[in-house]
Amino acid sequence: MDEAEVSGKVWREQARRRVTAEQDRDALARLIEYDADPFEVELYELAADPQTLVIDRAQRRNAGQHERHVRRLEQRGRRAAS
């Protein structure tokens, strides 16, 4: 595996494991209800931005699609070798 493949694999694993933007937004909303610090409000606004949500979903979807693609290729390879 070359450096680019390893880097891509690490990124996809992190994208699948990290908390979703919606979860971040909801956690920040609860925090703001308790203590509306200006920095926390700014973080909430970034997390609630529709573009942020779309990008997060797209990254997670891409990582999942790639994972399924690789799994299908491996299954085809095992069937061909049998």
Side-chain angles (χ1 to χ4, degrees):
M1 222 186 264
D2 69 355
E3 186 177 336
E5 289 174 353
V6 171
S7 175
K9 182 177 181 184
V10 169
W11 179 87
R12 284 186 295 276
E13 288 173 0
Q14 290 173 347
R16 301 282 290 162
R17 276 189 270 141
R18 73 177 179 236
V19 177
T20 65
E22 287 89 356
Q23 291 171 322
D24 278 345
R25 179 197 61 206
D26 295 344
L28 286 165
R30 288 190 302 275
L31 185 61
I32 288 171
E33 285 178 15
Y34 177 74
D35 175 26
D37 181 286
F39 179 68
E40 293 163 353
V41 171
E42 185 177 342
L43 288 176
Y44 173 79
E45 289 172 352
L46 288 172
D49 180 25
Q51 188 170 3
T52 299
L53 299 173
V54 168
I55 290 170
D56 182 63
R57 286 185 203 123
Q59 288 176 343
R60 297 171 71 77
R61 187 179 312 118
N62 179 280
Q65 286 174 346
H66 188 288
E67 190 175 295
R68 288 186 295 277
H69 174 71
V70 169
R71 202 171 29 235
R72 282 192 301 269
L73 289 176
E74 289 173 352
Q75 289 172 350
R76 288 179 191 159
R78 280 189 230 131
R79 276 189 249 150
S82 299

